[in-house]
Amino acid sequence: MAHTTDTEDPNRRDFLYIATGAMGAVGVGALAWPFIDQMNPDASALALASIEVDVSAVEEGQSITVQWRGKPVFIRNRTEAEVAEAQAVPLSDLPDPLARNANLPANAEATDPNRGVEGKENWLVQVGICTHLGCVPLGDAGEYKGWFCPCHGSHYDTAGRIRKGPAPENLLIPPLEFVSDSQIKIG
């Protein structure tokens, strides 16, 4: 009577272990895929990867809010006084010395010209989300007559730079360009 032992036929057992493990891995992957896939942006967010905004009706001193990638974007046609006030602020007075402008290098200083678009200094386009905890600040408010986040007391100036409060960074400037005198492409 012949007896088989593990040493005589190890390949069969090894194959069964490997095949079982592979089937288990495929099963886990098949179960996990719907959960991973649902984290991707939906079609409406992808469709808004870039938007064009007509700003011809925005008067000097007025602001509008548009949606871009599900976030509010503040577009303000600043007055000459607001631009002059923002340009007069020394960088040493700013808690965040960086421009946070997606159109410039990451280390660009937070000067007023670096917060806008060259040749269109009166226009300020910024993501309207407070950099402290993600609240939406109020426009034409606060100690610096820019934006004010009432949730935790962050004050931004007329260039969207943090001046007082718990917010650690200036409001973000999204990628943008003027495609004409009255059309802004965001994204």
Side-chain angles (χ1 to χ4, degrees):
M1 186 185 255
H3 293 280
T4 59
T5 64
D6 288 343
T7 57
E8 291 177 14
D9 196 10
N11 293 334
R12 184 173 180 200
R13 180 169 287 159
D14 291 344
F15 172 77
L16 289 174
Y17 285 142
I18 291 170
T20 303
M23 290 303 291
V26 168
V28 167
L31 282 172
W33 179 251
F35 297 108
I36 294 168
D37 189 47
Q38 63 92 23
M39 290 185 236
N40 287 329
D42 68 347
S44 65
L46 291 175
L48 296 175
S50 68
I51 60 170
E52 286 194 16
V53 181
D54 180 11
V55 293
S56 59
V58 182
E59 301 284 327
E60 188 176 283
Q62 289 183 331
S63 298
I64 62 170
T65 303
V66 297
Q67 289 290 318
W68 172 66
R69 293 185 180 175
K71 301 174 187 169
V73 174
F74 301 149
I75 301 173
R76 181 160 180 82
N77 187 355
R78 299 185 297 169
T79 65
E80 287 183 27
E82 289 173 330
V83 173
E85 183 179 319
Q87 289 177 345
V89 175
L91 285 176
S92 60
D93 287 358
L94 301 174
D96 181 12
L98 300 176
R100 309 287 176 196
N101 186 336
N103 306 292
L104 298 175
N107 62 349
E109 292 181 332
T111 62
D112 185 65
N114 283 349
R115 298 280 300 155
V117 177
E118 188 175 342
K120 304 281 187 183
E121 287 78 14
N122 59 312
W123 290 101
L124 182 64
V125 180
Q126 57 193 357
V127 176
I129 297 178
C130 180
T131 58
H132 179 234
L133 289 176
C135 308
V136 178
L138 305 173
D140 294 321
E143 289 182 27
Y144 300 93
K145 299 178 188 134
W147 287 265
F148 172 66
C149 184
C151 302
H152 302 98
S154 293
H155 296 259
Y156 299 90
D157 66 9
T158 58
R161 300 172 295 196
I162 184 64
R163 299 294 300 278
K164 181 180 177 185
E169 297 178 350
N170 300 323
L171 294 176
L172 303 175
I173 307 292
L176 68 106
E177 66 177 313
F178 276 83
V179 292
S180 72
D181 284 341
S182 63
Q183 287 283 115
I184 301 174
K185 180 180 178 185
I186 302 171

